[in-house]
Amino acid sequence: MTDRLYSVEQVAERLGLHVRTVRNYVRDGRLAAVRIGKQYRIAHEDLEAFTGRPAPAAPGDPAGGPRHSEVSSIVEIEAVDARTADRVATLLTASVAHRGHGERPLRIETAYDPERARMKVIILGGLADTARLFDYIEGVLDS
């Protein structure tokens, strides 16, 4: 059960109707609503019952689609020797290569500059996967 309540204007926008039409449905008792102060509020479930199908999402309403989050991060590591940089790159590459089919995409790019003893790691992926890779990097650097 959701606790979403919509205003008459929101329902009118979702259904592509005029606000007066929705108010008339409410006043006639065809669309259940709760009066709060001077305004009506329509529960999500009542809207679905009225339409006989799942209520369409309003433009920009995140409830209408799956939520997606992605992290784009660049990790710069200073004063790192070639051996450690190679360990970090190998660990990160292996963790991406052994991902299961159907898992969210995870991309990693690494670059090492031996003259400056600097490494850059670029990670594009989901929140949990990226956090796990940060832990891996920290583990190698702390060892």
Side-chain angles (χ1 to χ4, degrees), residues 12-47:
E13 182 180 331
R14 286 172 180 255
L15 300 179
L17 298 172
H18 196 276
V19 172
R20 283 189 206 152
T21 304
V22 175
R23 279 197 191 106
N24 287 337
Y25 289 155
V26 170
R27 289 180 183 141
D28 293 345
R30 294 193 287 178
L31 175 58
V34 175
R35 190 171 184 125
I36 300 173
K38 294 183 177 181
Q39 299 184 356
Y40 292 108
R41 290 292 183 253
I42 298 141
H44 182 80
E45 294 80 15
D46 291 334
L47 179 59

